[in-house]
PDB file of all heavy atoms in Angstrom:
ATOM      1  N   THR A1054      95.129  31.791 123.410  1.00 68.00           N
ATOM      2  CA  THR A1054      96.543  31.564 123.113  1.00 68.00           C
ATOM      3  C   THR A1054      96.699  30.703 121.869  1.00 68.00           C
ATOM      4  O   THR A1054      97.528  30.986 120.991  1.00 68.00           O
ATOM      5  CB  THR A1054      97.236  30.895 124.318  1.00 68.00           C
ATOM      6  OG1 THR A1054      97.128  31.751 125.462  1.00 68.00           O
ATOM      7  CG2 THR A1054      98.702  30.631 124.013  1.00 68.00           C
ATOM      8  N   LEU A1055      95.891  29.664 121.763  1.00 66.00           N
ATOM      9  CA  LEU A1055      95.942  28.789 120.594  1.00 66.00           C
ATOM     10  C   LEU A1055      95.561  29.549 119.331  1.00 66.00           C
ATOM     11  O   LEU A1055      96.207  29.407 118.285  1.00 66.00           O
ATOM     12  CB  LEU A1055      95.010  27.608 120.800  1.00 66.00           C
ATOM     13  CG  LEU A1055      94.968  26.555 119.690  1.00 66.00           C
ATOM     14  CD1 LEU A1055      96.347  25.916 119.515  1.00 66.00           C
ATOM     15  CD2 LEU A1055      93.926  25.485 119.994  1.00 66.00           C
ATOM     16  N   ALA A1056      94.524  30.378 119.423  1.00 57.00           N
ATOM     17  CA  ALA A1056      94.099  31.151 118.261  1.00 57.00           C
ATOM     18  C   ALA A1056      95.176  32.146 117.840  1.00 57.00           C
ATOM     19  O   ALA A1056      95.429  32.340 116.644  1.00 57.00           O
ATOM     20  CB  ALA A1056      92.803  31.900 118.579  1.00 57.00           C
ATOM     21  N   THR A1057      95.855  32.774 118.809  1.00 62.00           N
ATOM     22  CA  THR A1057      96.930  33.712 118.496  1.00 62.00           C
ATOM     23  C   THR A1057      98.093  33.003 117.809  1.00 62.00           C
ATOM     24  O   THR A1057      98.660  33.508 116.826  1.00 62.00           O
ATOM     25  CB  THR A1057      97.411  34.396 119.789  1.00 62.00           C
ATOM     26  OG1 THR A1057      96.324  35.086 120.396  1.00 62.00           O
ATOM     27  CG2 THR A1057      98.529  35.388 119.494  1.00 62.00           C
ATOM     28  N   GLN A1058      98.460  31.828 118.324  1.00 54.00           N
ATOM     29  CA  GLN A1058      99.550  31.062 117.716  1.00 54.00           C
ATOM     30  C   GLN A1058      99.197  30.645 116.287  1.00 54.00           C
ATOM     31  O   GLN A1058     100.050  30.670 115.390  1.00 54.00           O
ATOM     32  CB  GLN A1058      99.860  29.829 118.571  1.00 54.00           C
ATOM     33  CG  GLN A1058     100.467  30.172 119.925  1.00 54.00           C
ATOM     34  CD  GLN A1058     100.597  28.967 120.822  1.00 54.00           C
ATOM     35  OE1 GLN A1058     100.004  27.908 120.574  1.00 54.00           O
ATOM     36  NE2 GLN A1058     101.380  29.110 121.890  1.00 54.00           N
ATOM     37  N   PHE A1059      97.937  30.282 116.088  1.00 55.00           N
ATOM     38  CA  PHE A1059      97.511  29.901 114.732  1.00 55.00           C
ATOM     39  C   PHE A1059      97.605  31.091 113.781  1.00 55.00           C
ATOM     40  O   PHE A1059      98.070  30.961 112.637  1.00 55.00           O
ATOM     41  CB  PHE A1059      96.075  29.377 114.776  1.00 55.00           C
ATOM     42  CG  PHE A1059      95.516  29.046 113.419  1.00 55.00           C
ATOM     43  CD1 PHE A1059      95.876  27.884 112.761  1.00 55.00           C
ATOM     44  CD2 PHE A1059      94.643  29.925 112.795  1.00 55.00           C
ATOM     45  CE1 PHE A1059      95.365  27.581 111.499  1.00 55.00           C
ATOM     46  CE2 PHE A1059      94.120  29.633 111.542  1.00 55.00           C
ATOM     47  CZ  PHE A1059      94.486  28.463 110.888  1.00 55.00           C
ATOM     48  N   GLU A1060      97.174  32.266 114.252  1.00 62.00           N
ATOM     49  CA  GLU A1060      97.258  33.464 113.425  1.00 62.00           C
ATOM     50  C   GLU A1060      98.706  33.785 113.078  1.00 62.00           C
ATOM     51  O   GLU A1060      99.031  34.188 111.952  1.00 62.00           O
ATOM     52  CB  GLU A1060      96.601  34.648 114.139  1.00 62.00           C
ATOM     53  CG  GLU A1060      95.089  34.583 114.222  1.00 62.00           C
ATOM     54  CD  GLU A1060      94.438  34.669 112.850  1.00 62.00           C
ATOM     55  OE1 GLU A1060      95.034  35.302 111.949  1.00 62.00           O
ATOM     56  OE2 GLU A1060      93.359  34.090 112.669  1.00 62.00           O
ATOM     57  N   GLN A1061      99.601  33.603 114.049  1.00 62.00           N
ATOM     58  CA  GLN A1061     101.016  33.860 113.800  1.00 62.00           C
ATOM     59  C   GLN A1061     101.585  32.891 112.767  1.00 62.00           C
ATOM     60  O   GLN A1061     102.337  33.288 111.862  1.00 62.00           O
ATOM     61  CB  GLN A1061     101.803  33.751 115.117  1.00 62.00           C
ATOM     62  CG  GLN A1061     101.505  34.880 116.095  1.00 62.00           C
ATOM     63  CD  GLN A1061     102.184  34.666 117.432  1.00 62.00           C
ATOM     64  OE1 GLN A1061     102.654  33.557 117.750  1.00 62.00           O
ATOM     65  NE2 GLN A1061     102.242  35.722 118.239  1.00 62.00           N
ATOM     66  N   MET A1062     101.224  31.620 112.902  1.00 64.00           N
ATOM     67  CA  MET A1062     101.715  30.625 111.938  1.00 64.00           C
ATOM     68  C   MET A1062     101.179  30.898 110.545  1.00 64.00           C
ATOM     69  O   MET A1062     101.897  30.779 109.551  1.00 64.00           O
ATOM     70  CB  MET A1062     101.329  29.215 112.399  1.00 64.00           C
ATOM     71  CG  MET A1062     102.125  28.707 113.586  1.00 64.00           C
ATOM     72  SD  MET A1062     101.832  26.960 113.910  1.00 64.00           S
ATOM     73  CE  MET A1062     100.117  26.987 114.372  1.00 64.00           C
ATOM     74  N   ARG A1063      99.899  31.278 110.459  1.00 65.00           N
ATOM     75  CA  ARG A1063      99.321  31.573 109.151  1.00 65.00           C
ATOM     76  C   ARG A1063      99.979  32.803 108.537  1.00 65.00           C
ATOM     77  O   ARG A1063     100.224  32.852 107.325  1.00 65.00           O
ATOM     78  CB  ARG A1063      97.817  31.789 109.288  1.00 65.00           C
ATOM     79  CG  ARG A1063      97.111  31.955 107.942  1.00 65.00           C
ATOM     80  CD  ARG A1063      95.622  31.772 108.065  1.00 65.00           C
ATOM     81  NE  ARG A1063      95.015  32.765 108.951  1.00 65.00           N
ATOM     82  CZ  ARG A1063      93.697  32.826 109.182  1.00 65.00           C
ATOM     83  NH1 ARG A1063      92.885  31.930 108.636  1.00 65.00           N
ATOM     84  NH2 ARG A1063      93.217  33.743 109.984  1.00 65.00           N
ATOM     85  N   TYR A1064     100.334  33.779 109.371  1.00 58.00           N
ATOM     86  CA  TYR A1064     100.996  34.971 108.873  1.00 58.00           C
ATOM     87  C   TYR A1064     102.391  34.626 108.369  1.00 58.00           C
ATOM     88  O   TYR A1064     102.816  35.074 107.291  1.00 58.00           O
ATOM     89  CB  TYR A1064     101.069  36.017 109.989  1.00 58.00           C
ATOM     90  CG  TYR A1064     101.757  37.300 109.600  1.00 58.00           C
ATOM     91  CD1 TYR A1064     101.071  38.310 108.948  1.00 58.00           C
ATOM     92  CD2 TYR A1064     103.108  37.492 109.892  1.00 58.00           C
ATOM     93  CE1 TYR A1064     101.697  39.492 108.586  1.00 58.00           C
ATOM     94  CE2 TYR A1064     103.758  38.669 109.527  1.00 58.00           C
ATOM     95  CZ  TYR A1064     103.039  39.659 108.878  1.00 58.00           C
ATOM     96  OH  TYR A1064     103.673  40.825 108.516  1.00 58.00           O
ATOM     97  N   LEU A1065     103.116  33.823 109.154  1.00 60.00           N
ATOM     98  CA  LEU A1065     104.488  33.476 108.776  1.00 60.00           C
ATOM     99  C   LEU A1065     104.536  32.570 107.554  1.00 60.00           C
ATOM    100  O   LEU A1065     105.574  32.458 106.887  1.00 60.00           O
ATOM    101  CB  LEU A1065     105.204  32.810 109.953  1.00 60.00           C
ATOM    102  CG  LEU A1065     105.493  33.734 111.149  1.00 60.00           C
ATOM    103  CD1 LEU A1065     106.095  32.929 112.297  1.00 60.00           C
ATOM    104  CD2 LEU A1065     106.418  34.879 110.741  1.00 60.00           C
ATOM    105  N   ALA A1066     103.427  31.897 107.279  1.00 69.00           N
ATOM    106  CA  ALA A1066     103.402  31.059 106.074  1.00 69.00           C
ATOM    107  C   ALA A1066     103.458  31.901 104.806  1.00 69.00           C
ATOM    108  O   ALA A1066     103.878  31.422 103.750  1.00 69.00           O
ATOM    109  CB  ALA A1066     102.134  30.212 106.073  1.00 69.00           C
ATOM    110  N   ASP A1067     103.065  33.173 104.894  1.00 78.00           N
ATOM    111  CA  ASP A1067     103.039  34.061 103.726  1.00 78.00           C
ATOM    112  C   ASP A1067     104.015  35.212 103.821  1.00 78.00           C
ATOM    113  O   ASP A1067     104.127  36.012 102.885  1.00 78.00           O
ATOM    114  CB  ASP A1067     101.624  34.631 103.535  1.00 78.00           C
ATOM    115  CG  ASP A1067     100.595  33.538 103.294  1.00 78.00           C
ATOM    116  OD1 ASP A1067     100.950  32.531 102.670  1.00 78.00           O
ATOM    117  OD2 ASP A1067      99.450  33.696 103.767  1.00 78.00           O
TER     118      ASP A1067
END
Side-chain angles (χ1 to χ4, degrees):
T1054 300
L1055 182 61
T1057 301
Q1058 292 172 345
F1059 176 77
E1060 288 295 331
Q1061 291 174 345
M1062 287 190 295
R1063 186 164 62 178
Y1064 179 84
L1065 292 175
D1067 299 326

